[in-house]
Amino acid sequence: MIKKFIFLSIILINCFSLGASESKAYFINLKDGDKVENPIFIQFGLSGKGVAPAGVNKENTGHHHLLIDVEAIDFYMPIPSSKNHLHFGGGQTETLIELTPGEHELQLVLGDLYHVAHSPPVTSKKIIPLFSILSFAIRMTSS
């Protein structure tokens, strides 16, 4: 009887831990390979944590950072601020950006109140949206 109880307890514990959702960031309105044109409207999604402005010390929250053409970052250091590391420290969940035509890799990283990635890091998959060739051609002829 005790062996059955222990066995069932182990199964239940494993089921609950397997069902627990991991935190993840994601793009709501963009997928890898989507055709885009400037300005690009981007919506940020987040599951398993909440959004709070930078500097707000609230457990299980953070704010979005949009990485553009960034190969790697040090998850133990504050995310730098540059044209390739866009900070949304006000708790924003969407933006409009302009990119030069061509291929650009985008990724979301959730930062804590100090702009440091959570541990483990909460990131999106990297995506590469594609500029619409027709849109780019029209812009070139009208310039």
Coordinates of all heavy atoms in Angstrom, one line a residue, residues 83-124:
K83 N 21.3 51.5 -31.0 CA 20.3 51.4 -32.1 C 20.0 49.9 -32.4 O 19.0 49.6 -33.0 CB 20.9 52.0 -33.4 CG 22.1 51.3 -34.0 CD 22.6 52.0 -35.2 CE 23.8 51.2 -35.7 NZ 24.0 51.3 -37.1
N84 N 20.8 49.0 -31.8 CA 20.5 47.5 -32.0 C 20.0 46.9 -30.7 O 19.6 45.7 -30.7 CB 21.9 46.8 -32.3 CG 22.4 47.2 -33.6 OD1 23.2 48.2 -33.7 ND2 22.0 46.6 -34.7
H85 N 19.9 47.7 -29.6 CA 19.3 47.2 -28.3 C 18.3 48.2 -27.9 O 18.6 49.2 -27.2 CB 20.4 47.1 -27.3 CG 21.6 46.2 -27.6 ND1 22.6 46.6 -28.4 CD2 21.8 44.9 -27.3 CE1 23.5 45.7 -28.5 NE2 23.0 44.6 -27.9
L86 N 17.0 48.1 -28.3 CA 16.0 49.0 -28.0 C 15.3 48.7 -26.7 O 14.9 47.6 -26.5 CB 15.0 49.1 -29.1 CG 15.5 49.4 -30.5 CD1 14.4 49.5 -31.5 CD2 16.4 50.7 -30.5
H87 N 15.3 49.7 -25.8 CA 14.7 49.4 -24.4 C 13.3 50.0 -24.4 O 13.0 51.1 -24.9 CB 15.5 50.2 -23.4 CG 16.9 49.6 -23.1 ND1 17.2 49.0 -21.9 CD2 17.9 49.4 -23.9 CE1 18.4 48.5 -21.9 NE2 18.9 48.7 -23.2
F88 N 12.4 49.2 -23.7 CA 11.0 49.6 -23.5 C 10.8 49.7 -22.0 O 9.9 49.0 -21.5 CB 10.1 48.7 -24.3 CG 10.3 48.8 -25.8 CD1 11.3 48.0 -26.4 CD2 9.7 49.8 -26.5 CE1 11.5 48.1 -27.8 CE2 10.0 49.9 -27.9 CZ 10.9 49.1 -28.5
G89 N 11.6 50.5 -21.4 CA 11.5 50.6 -19.9 C 10.3 51.2 -19.3 O 10.1 51.2 -18.1
G90 N 9.4 51.7 -20.2 CA 8.1 52.3 -19.7 C 7.1 51.2 -19.5 O 6.0 51.4 -19.2
G91 N 7.5 49.9 -19.9 CA 6.5 48.8 -19.9 C 5.7 48.7 -21.2 O 4.7 48.0 -21.2
Q92 N 6.2 49.3 -22.2 CA 5.5 49.3 -23.5 C 5.5 47.8 -24.1 O 6.4 47.1 -23.8 CB 6.2 50.2 -24.6 CG 6.4 51.6 -24.2 CD 7.7 51.9 -23.6 OE1 8.2 51.2 -22.7 NE2 8.3 53.0 -24.0
T93 N 4.4 47.5 -24.8 CA 4.3 46.2 -25.3 C 4.1 46.2 -26.9 O 3.7 45.2 -27.5 CB 3.1 45.5 -24.7 OG1 1.9 46.3 -24.9 CG2 3.3 45.2 -23.2
E94 N 4.4 47.4 -27.5 CA 4.4 47.5 -28.9 C 5.2 48.7 -29.3 O 5.5 49.6 -28.5 CB 2.9 47.6 -29.5 CG 2.2 48.8 -28.9 CD 0.7 48.8 -29.4 OE1 0.1 47.8 -29.4 OE2 0.2 49.9 -29.7
T95 N 5.6 48.7 -30.6 CA 6.4 49.8 -31.1 C 6.3 49.9 -32.6 O 5.8 48.9 -33.3 CB 7.9 49.7 -30.7 OG1 8.6 50.9 -31.0 CG2 8.6 48.5 -31.4
L96 N 6.7 51.0 -33.2 CA 6.9 51.2 -34.6 C 8.3 51.5 -34.9 O 8.9 52.3 -34.2 CB 6.1 52.4 -35.1 CG 4.7 52.3 -35.6 CD1 4.1 53.6 -35.9 CD2 4.6 51.3 -36.8
I97 N 9.0 50.7 -35.7 CA 10.4 50.9 -36.0 C 10.6 51.0 -37.5 O 9.8 50.6 -38.3 CB 11.3 49.8 -35.5 CG1 11.0 48.5 -36.1 CG2 11.2 49.8 -33.9 CD1 12.1 47.4 -35.8
E98 N 11.7 51.6 -37.9 CA 12.1 51.7 -39.3 C 13.4 51.0 -39.5 O 14.3 51.2 -38.6 CB 12.3 53.2 -39.8 CG 11.0 53.9 -39.7 CD 10.5 54.5 -41.1 OE1 11.3 54.3 -42.1 OE2 9.4 55.0 -41.1
L99 N 13.5 50.1 -40.4 CA 14.8 49.4 -40.7 C 15.2 49.6 -42.1 O 14.3 49.8 -43.0 CB 14.6 47.9 -40.5 CG 14.3 47.4 -39.0 CD1 14.0 45.9 -39.0 CD2 15.5 47.8 -38.1
T100 N 16.5 49.6 -42.4 CA 17.0 49.7 -43.8 C 16.5 48.4 -44.5 O 16.4 47.3 -43.9 CB 18.5 49.8 -43.8 OG1 19.1 48.7 -43.1 CG2 19.0 51.1 -43.2
P101 N 16.2 48.5 -45.8 CA 15.8 47.3 -46.5 C 16.9 46.2 -46.5 O 18.1 46.6 -46.4 CB 15.6 47.8 -47.9 CG 15.3 49.2 -47.8 CD 16.1 49.7 -46.6
G102 N 16.5 45.0 -46.4 CA 17.5 43.9 -46.3 C 17.1 43.0 -45.2 O 16.0 43.1 -44.6
E103 N 17.9 42.1 -44.9 CA 17.6 41.1 -43.8 C 18.0 41.6 -42.5 O 19.2 42.1 -42.3 CB 18.4 39.8 -44.2 CG 17.9 38.6 -43.5 CD 18.6 37.3 -44.0 OE1 18.1 36.9 -45.1 OE2 19.5 36.8 -43.4
H104 N 17.1 41.5 -41.5 CA 17.4 41.9 -40.1 C 16.9 40.8 -39.2 O 15.7 40.3 -39.4 CB 16.7 43.2 -39.8 CG 17.3 44.3 -40.6 ND1 18.5 44.9 -40.3 CD2 16.8 45.0 -41.7 CE1 18.7 45.9 -41.2 NE2 17.7 45.9 -42.0
E105 N 17.6 40.4 -38.2 CA 17.2 39.5 -37.2 C 16.7 40.2 -36.0 O 17.4 41.1 -35.4 CB 18.5 38.6 -36.8 CG 18.1 37.4 -35.9 CD 19.3 36.5 -35.8 OE1 20.2 36.9 -35.0 OE2 19.3 35.4 -36.3
L106 N 15.5 39.8 -35.5 CA 14.9 40.4 -34.4 C 14.7 39.4 -33.2 O 14.4 38.2 -33.5 CB 13.5 41.0 -34.7 CG 13.4 41.9 -35.9 CD1 12.0 42.3 -36.2 CD2 14.3 43.1 -35.7
Q107 N 14.9 39.8 -32.0 CA 14.7 39.0 -30.8 C 14.2 39.9 -29.7 O 14.7 41.0 -29.5 CB 15.9 38.2 -30.5 CG 15.7 37.2 -29.3 CD 16.9 36.4 -29.0 OE1 18.1 36.8 -29.2 NE2 16.7 35.2 -28.5
L108 N 13.3 39.3 -28.9 CA 12.9 40.0 -27.6 C 13.7 39.4 -26.4 O 13.8 38.1 -26.4 CB 11.4 39.8 -27.4 CG 10.5 40.5 -28.4 CD1 9.1 40.1 -28.2 CD2 10.7 42.0 -28.3
V109 N 14.0 40.2 -25.5 CA 14.6 39.7 -24.2 C 13.9 40.5 -23.1 O 13.8 41.7 -23.2 CB 16.1 40.0 -24.2 CG1 16.7 39.5 -22.8 CG2 16.9 39.2 -25.3
L110 N 13.5 39.8 -22.1 CA 12.9 40.4 -20.9 C 13.9 40.8 -19.9 O 14.7 40.0 -19.5 CB 11.8 39.5 -20.3 CG 11.0 40.2 -19.2 CD1 10.0 41.2 -19.9 CD2 10.2 39.1 -18.4
G111 N 14.0 42.1 -19.6 CA 15.0 42.5 -18.6 C 14.3 42.8 -17.2 O 13.1 43.2 -17.2
D112 N 15.1 42.7 -16.2 CA 14.5 43.0 -14.8 C 14.6 44.5 -14.6 O 14.8 45.3 -15.5 CB 15.3 42.3 -13.8 CG 16.7 42.7 -13.6 OD1 17.1 43.7 -14.2 OD2 17.5 42.0 -12.9
L113 N 14.3 45.0 -13.4 CA 14.3 46.4 -13.1 C 15.6 47.1 -13.4 O 15.7 48.3 -13.6 CB 13.9 46.7 -11.6 CG 14.8 46.3 -10.5 CD1 14.4 47.1 -9.3 CD2 14.7 44.8 -10.2
Y114 N 16.7 46.3 -13.5 CA 18.0 46.9 -13.8 C 18.5 46.6 -15.2 O 19.7 46.8 -15.5 CB 19.1 46.3 -12.8 CG 18.8 46.6 -11.3 CD1 18.4 45.5 -10.5 CD2 18.8 47.8 -10.8 CE1 18.1 45.7 -9.2 CE2 18.5 48.1 -9.5 CZ 18.1 47.0 -8.7 OH 17.8 47.2 -7.3
H115 N 17.6 46.2 -16.1 CA 17.9 45.9 -17.5 C 18.8 44.6 -17.6 O 19.4 44.4 -18.7 CB 18.6 47.1 -18.2 CG 17.8 48.3 -18.2 ND1 16.7 48.5 -19.0 CD2 17.9 49.4 -17.4 CE1 16.2 49.7 -18.7 NE2 16.9 50.3 -17.8
V116 N 18.8 43.8 -16.6 CA 19.5 42.5 -16.7 C 18.5 41.4 -17.0 O 17.4 41.4 -16.5 CB 20.3 42.2 -15.4 CG1 21.0 40.8 -15.5 CG2 21.3 43.3 -15.1
A117 N 18.9 40.5 -17.9 CA 18.0 39.4 -18.3 C 17.7 38.6 -17.1 O 18.5 38.4 -16.2 CB 18.6 38.5 -19.4
H118 N 16.5 38.0 -17.0 CA 16.1 37.1 -15.9 C 16.9 35.8 -16.0 O 17.6 35.5 -17.0 CB 14.6 36.8 -16.1 CG 13.7 37.9 -15.7 ND1 13.1 38.0 -14.5 CD2 13.3 39.0 -16.4 CE1 12.4 39.1 -14.5 NE2 12.5 39.7 -15.7
S119 N 16.9 35.1 -14.9 CA 17.6 33.8 -14.8 C 16.6 32.8 -14.5 O 16.1 32.8 -13.4 CB 18.8 33.9 -13.8 OG 19.5 32.7 -13.8
P120 N 16.3 31.8 -15.4 CA 16.9 31.7 -16.8 C 16.3 32.9 -17.6 O 15.3 33.4 -17.4 CB 16.4 30.4 -17.2 CG 15.2 30.1 -16.5 CD 15.4 30.8 -15.1
P121 N 17.1 33.2 -18.7 CA 16.6 34.3 -19.6 C 15.3 34.0 -20.2 O 15.0 32.9 -20.6 CB 17.7 34.3 -20.7 CG 18.9 33.6 -20.1 CD 18.4 32.6 -19.1
V122 N 14.5 35.0 -20.3 CA 13.2 35.0 -21.0 C 13.3 35.7 -22.3 O 13.4 36.9 -22.4 CB 12.1 35.7 -20.1 CG1 10.7 35.6 -20.8 CG2 12.0 35.0 -18.7
T123 N 13.4 34.9 -23.4 CA 13.6 35.4 -24.7 C 12.6 34.9 -25.7 O 12.0 33.8 -25.5 CB 15.0 35.0 -25.2 OG1 15.1 33.6 -25.3 CG2 16.1 35.5 -24.3
S124 N 12.5 35.5 -26.8 CA 11.8 35.0 -28.0 C 12.7 34.2 -28.9 O 13.9 34.3 -28.8 CB 11.1 36.2 -28.7 OG 12.1 36.9 -29.4

